[in-house]
Amino acid sequence: MKSTGVTIADVAREAGVSPMTVSRSLREPARVSAKSRERIAEVIERLGYVPDPAARALAAGRTNVIGVIIPSVTNNVFSDVMRGIYGVIENSPWQVQLGNSRYVAETEEALTRTFLSQRPAGLIVSGVDQTRKTRELLINAPCRVVQIMELGEAPIDMMVGFSHREAARVATQHLFDKGYRRPAFLAARVDPRTKRRMAGFEDVVRTAGAFDPSRILATSAPSSAALGRTLMAELLDNAPETDSVLCNNDDLALGALFECLHRGIDVPNAIGICGFNDLEMMAVAYPTITSVKTYREEMGRIAATMILETLKGIEPEEPVVDLGFDVMSRQSTAKLL
Amino acid sequence: MKSTGVTIADVAREAGVSPMTVSRSLREPARVSAKSRERIAEVIERLGYVPDPAARALAAGRTNVIGVIIPSVTNNVFSDVMRGIYGVIENSPWQVQLGNSRYVAETEEALTRTFLSQRPAGLIVSGVDQTRKTRELLINAPCRVVQIMELGEAPIDMMVGFSHREAARVATQHLFDKGYRRPAFLAARVDPRTKRRMAGFEDVVRTAGAFDPSRILATSAPSSAALGRTLMAELLDNAPETDSVLCNNDDLALGALFECLHRGIDVPNAIGICGFNDLEMMAVAYPTITSVKTYREEMGRIAATMILETLKGIEPEEPVVDLGFDVMSRQSTAKLL
DNA sequence: TCAATAAATGGTAGCGCTAACATTTGTCAA
DNA sequence: TTGACAAATGTTAGCGCTACCATTTATTGA
């Protein structure tokens, strides 16, 4: 059944030591004499021994699994975060276990329960909107927990993210600073982060006395450039006084731009466009597109690093990391004044 | 140490049966009387029992892990494939374990070894270019194996993909059919699939007597729209007679388009552009971009389904599935004749 | 030289579950 | 009513490893 079939006992016998010494030389080499260590290493190499993680987990009462719970595998934002996580974990003895909550709180709770029952080495969860029960599970978790994506009031343990509301505020203010007066907001499937961005948009627009609900478009469809075109078309038809759009992400922004190009609308002079996330493409589009740069891969990297460090007994200097954001001002909002 | 602490013995005691009956009611409910089954289910629910996968794996000699080895987590193509795999596996008792070979054959071999030592329930690997040793490991694997991404001569076990060479041939022929005579080929980091596409391009271009190495551009940099612009700029400067480009993927195609737009070059009349993969965005770009549609998510879905089916004892009707491709002809190659 | 101490190693038990076989209980025909 | 057989359940042993504690061996200072 097993491919290699080599167990720790085989290695021990061959190296002339007890299984315990082999086990130690693998996990705490400093506690084994150099001579034994070398001999054991040689035998391991020769026999092609690979420790059985299941046996190890059962005996040690913990696994080498770092659980990651995200609400979507479709959303590129999470692919970027995962990339950051994988980058850190790839060359460590730990492994990632991915769970997809599909934006359903009950699923998230079930996943949390399942993950915890596996005694993970650490847990990375998305957002701050867990159910009370999930929160409780995580607070009592026998491992460290990092919340990613956003910042919030009461961190369960550690946290890496940025303020979506503040980012949207700054982006909206950017539109006003560039001379736009009647900005709209486009969003696809509304998740908690989107809600906060929408709130940030509203904050600034209300302050400027330019609030108009007909310039806020959201749908339940998943985000795409095609949807960006559709929403933009709808916006132009129903709220023709609109002079700029803040898009909840860059797919929508690209779609919005394409719709304008198709209609022969002058971007940025007739319509200004600002995206969110700053995909690599925004800087090379024609015209180049203003976007709020977010640090998604870095978020994953830092979260994973925090887990690995605490596993080594090193506490992070700051348990809550604000990665911030940057509005990358480009041609799509460079209106002639 | 353990969060729930509830074991199968606790459930058994509470339900008034032996642990074995509990175990069976979970794995082979048909072999347990309805009465016991219900009682056990009630107790499990009440105590919040979750089986320990490590103990299960150790006792049963196999895990619920389906290993997936891909060469890149950065490349969107693989995100799409992973999405398909996750979609199928998410609601099953199986779990995905991802390994990144980084296009290094030795890493792939090491990953294969590690995965196999964990006695996976199945294995999904990318491509057909394994080392001899890796192939051998996979052929003797104690689980089913699916090769994805492309088709090849000697399948290790099962296979889902399409012919990249043929796809590039058809795409190149499309350019000629549309009236272009001096097509170029743009590629980023060259992997085995890219190589085959390049060969397909060359096949057709040579047959047409239009082969010119100065119209084949490849680099070691990872693919991006920015790179597409750079390569397109280089191409326009060094091979100005070029009248069309086949891009190895859609990022490059978008970049190429943007470069043309920036330079005021008429697409499709001065330059025709064809991408590869047919990202959702290609159909809504301005102009819309011709691309070779590939079925990436479906590839993952089918591969995962094949594994799950064989796990249930159901053999696939065809062990080798050719997903084909489709050239989506759009404005970017609709030259006025 | 010899205790006292540290360093290295080993023995025992058990993690939670399931395979394989053993036993008990239920069902049915004669 | 009983034996034959199937269905349901139980018993035993062990998967491969590590925690814990016991023992052996090396090292040191007086």
Side-chain angles (χ1 to χ4, degrees), chain B residues 242-276:
Chain B
T242 300
D243 67 356
S244 54
V245 276
L246 173 59
C247 299
N248 190 50
N249 63 53
D250 288 339
D251 281 343
L252 296 178
L254 270 164
L257 171 64
F258 289 139
E259 180 64 19
C260 290
L261 291 176
H262 271 269
R263 291 190 181 212
I265 293 172
D266 180 1
V267 174
N269 293 308
I271 293 280
I273 297 179
C274 178
F276 205 104

Side-chain angles (χ1 to χ4, degrees), chain A residues 52 90 100 102 119 226 280, chain B residues 52 90 102 119 226 280:
Chain A
D52 181 329
E90 229 157 58
N100 179 3
R102 301 174 162 282
R119 286 164 284 178
E280 171 274 321
Chain B
D52 181 329
E90 229 158 57
R102 301 174 162 281
R119 285 164 284 177
E280 171 275 320

Side-chain angles (χ1 to χ4, degrees), chain B residues 32-290:
Chain B
V32 175
S33 71
K35 208 164 50 135
S36 302
R37 220 184 310 136
E38 278 161 33
R39 194 139 31 90
I40 290 168
E42 181 270 316
V43 174
I44 286 177
E45 176 64 29
R46 183 152 52 79
L47 301 187
Y49 167 70
V50 182
D52 181 329
R56 194 171 253 191
L58 188 58
R62 59 190 135 69
T63 63
N64 66 340
V65 169
I66 294 174
V68 180
I69 300 179
I70 59 175
S72 163
V73 291
T74 319
N75 190 325
N76 290 317
V77 167
F78 293 102
S79 319
D80 294 340
V81 174
M82 290 311 299
R83 192 167 299 155
I85 294 176
Y86 278 120
V88 172
I89 289 182
E90 229 158 57
N91 298 308
S92 78
W94 278 276
Q95 300 208 309
V96 176
Q97 189 68 66
L98 188 61
N100 178 4
S101 71
R102 301 174 162 281
Y103 291 108
V104 179
E106 288 71 38
T107 308
E108 185 180 40
E109 191 173 316
L111 278 171
T112 306
R113 220 179 280 275
T114 306
F115 277 29
L116 285 177
S117 82
Q118 297 178 31
R119 285 164 284 177
L123 221 40
I124 297 175
V125 300
S126 308
V128 297
D129 303 286
Q130 288 80 18
T131 61
R132 219 168 47 77
K133 183 67 198 161
T134 304
R135 245 190 99 81
E136 195 184 302
L137 283 170
L138 291 172
I139 287 170
N140 298 318
C143 67
R144 303 302 295 265
V145 176
V146 184
Q147 286 168 284
I148 58 171
M149 299 313 293
E150 40 182 333
L151 301 175
E153 282 312 299
I156 291 170
D157 181 359
M158 297 177 284
M159 204 173 230
V160 196
F162 66 96
S163 167
H164 292 252
R165 185 161 184 164
E166 185 57 24
R169 274 199 202 116
V170 173
T172 310
Q173 190 55 55
H174 166 85
L175 292 175
F176 280 102
D177 293 348
K178 287 295 181 173
Y180 299 102
R181 289 294 167 262
R182 292 173 301 281
F185 186 83
L186 300 186
R189 187 154 47 190
V190 175
D191 68 6
R193 263 79 60 196
T194 303
K195 234 175 249 161
R196 289 183 189 109
R197 291 183 203 161
M198 217 181 262
F201 172 80
E202 220 180 296
D203 290 346
V204 175
V205 170
R206 276 192 191 279
T207 303
F211 180 72
D212 183 341
S214 72
R215 288 205 297 272
I216 296 187
L217 267 68
T219 131
S220 58
S223 184
S224 70
L227 182 64
R229 275 197 64 177
T230 311
L231 288 176
M232 191 69 198
E234 202 176 310
L235 180 68
L236 291 169
D237 292 344
N238 299 335
E241 77 288 359
T242 300
D243 67 356
S244 54
V245 276
L246 173 59
C247 299
N248 190 50
N249 63 53
D250 288 339
D251 281 343
L252 296 178
L254 270 164
L257 171 64
F258 289 139
E259 180 64 19
C260 290
L261 291 176
H262 271 269
R263 291 190 181 212
I265 293 172
D266 180 1
V267 174
N269 293 308
I271 293 280
I273 297 179
C274 178
F276 205 104
N277 278 330
D278 197 34
L279 298 188
E280 171 275 320
M281 200 172 290
M282 308 311 271
V284 297
Y286 178 77
T288 57
I289 306 175
T290 297

Side-chain angles (χ1 to χ4, degrees), chain A residues 73-95:
Chain A
V73 291
T74 320
N75 190 324
N76 289 317
V77 167
F78 293 102
S79 319
D80 294 340
V81 174
M82 289 312 298
R83 193 167 299 156
I85 294 175
Y86 278 119
V88 172
I89 288 182
E90 229 157 58
N91 298 308
S92 78
W94 277 277
Q95 299 208 310

